Amino acid sequence: MSRFESMVQSGTIVPTALSAIDWNKLGFGGIITPFIGGSVALSDGIFESISIVANGNISIPPLACCLNYGQELFEGMKANRGPDGRIRLFRIDANAARMAKGAARFMLAAPSEELYRKAIIETVKANADYVPPYGKGALYVRPILAGVGMTLNPAPSDTTIFLVTTVPVGMHYKGSSMVSIKVETDFQRAAAKGTGWVKAAGNYAPCFLPTSEAKHKGFDDLLFLNQTGTHVEEVGTANFAMIKHGILYVADSPSILPGITRDSVMRIARELLDIEVVFAPLELDRVLGLKEFAGEGPADEAFFTGTAAIISPISNINYEGKDYCLGENVGPFATKLREVLLGIQTGVMPDPFDWVTIIE
Ligand code: PLP
Ligand code: COI
């Protein structure tokens, strides 16, 4: 029995029956898939080979480092079914590399790209029946890396679990096809020189309160600003981009997550669609058409990019109580970029970047 198998209480989490799933009504979460995959590394940092086991709770000690000191990070990927029925994974190497960078910062053992790839592919294969039909959604893949060794000292765990779980999902932003957001001026998501660039579990819980307050006021999400309140950072779950005069402006900052969707959208824009891209810190005034940008007016289009969000167009941005309307209909740039991105991800369009892995 592998170390991973001995930590999972297989069978304690009962999968949703396939017959109970309405593929036309997928939300974001709620359906349980039958299998999880994973591996455990001890103090030598070497992971054993991947085991795939029946879904179940994981037993970890009360003094597990991840529970007490937040030594945990995760990834997000999607397996899409194409119209040809085949299942495709997107940019596994980029996700593996991002997890490895985060692991180094958090002093966790990092799975090699090969082990990461195997874990993702084997877990998706085992849950293949739960990959939604083409056009209905995707199988969201959630790899997790956590320090599970006991430690009262705030010091790195001697044991790391690498775990892959999956959930069929529809759209992250439900309801309208465009989203309405509020600029957050009371809370910041990440510190300068902090760990906002890591997909660390601890970056998400602090966003719950301001995000749920914004949702109570009727907004779909929040746009966080940088530490000086002058530049756009990101949403708590996706990156930010806008279009002005045909140019794609993609917000960059050292304290945001370097999104793989963001990078893919920039490459599609530059290399396939001949769109000029400005990838730099993005002034809030430029987005809203304020101060030195007052003559220009607000962005022609704005959208979030992310694995869960895909490309989510923004209809209006509320800043200090004032609404800035960016359009009632999804703009042509967001439409085209989404079509090409999803086209590559589902095999409807060629994959000139070699981003896709087909699961046989
Ligand atoms: N920013 C944050 C905070 C996120 O959680 C995500 C989602 O993964 C993104 C940006 C977008 O990253 P990606 O495109 O790699 O999914
Ligand atoms: C993703 O897009 O993969 C994410 O991790 C966002 C999630 C927190 C909703």
Side-chain angles (χ1 to χ4, degrees), residues 48-61:
E48 57 191 344
S49 54
I50 296 296
S51 309
I52 304 292
V53 301
N55 207 342
N57 296 320
I58 314 284
S59 34
I60 56 173

Side-chain angles (χ1 to χ4, degrees), residues 98 189 199 204 234-239 257-262 305-307:
R98 190 168 65 186
R189 180 185 168 276
K199 208 161 163 57
Y204 292 80
E234 59 181 337
V235 199
T237 55
N239 295 123
L257 192 78
I260 291 158
T261 318
R262 172 185 86 164
T305 64
T307 300

Side-chain angles (χ1 to χ4, degrees), residues 248 250 262-280 337 353:
L248 172 64
V250 177
R262 172 185 86 164
D263 181 68
S264 309
V265 163
M266 289 196 285
R267 290 199 64 190
I268 289 170
R270 280 192 184 117
E271 296 174 45
L272 301 184
L273 302 176
D274 204 20
I275 297 170
E276 186 183 337
V277 178
V278 175
F279 177 46
L337 288 165
F353 306 108

Side-chain angles (χ1 to χ4, degrees), residues 68-112:
N68 291 270
Y69 302 121
Q71 196 192 22
E72 195 210 326
L73 46 99
F74 65 95
E75 269 302 326
M77 305 178 63
K78 272 181 179 168
N80 280 289
R81 199 181 290 282
D84 56 3
R86 296 167 100 188
I87 298 168
R88 290 170 174 81
L89 282 157
F90 190 64
R91 302 194 67 176
I92 305 177
D93 53 344
N95 282 90
R98 190 168 65 186
M99 177 172 261
K101 274 193 191 155
R105 178 65 182 80
F106 274 59
M107 295 189 78
L108 285 158
S112 65

Side-chain angles (χ1 to χ4, degrees), residues 243 273 275 300-301 329-339:
I243 302 284
L273 302 176
I275 297 170
D300 296 333
E301 295 181 33
N329 300 307
V330 182
F333 283 84
T335 304
K336 188 69 195 167
L337 288 165
R338 188 182 159 98
E339 181 194 320

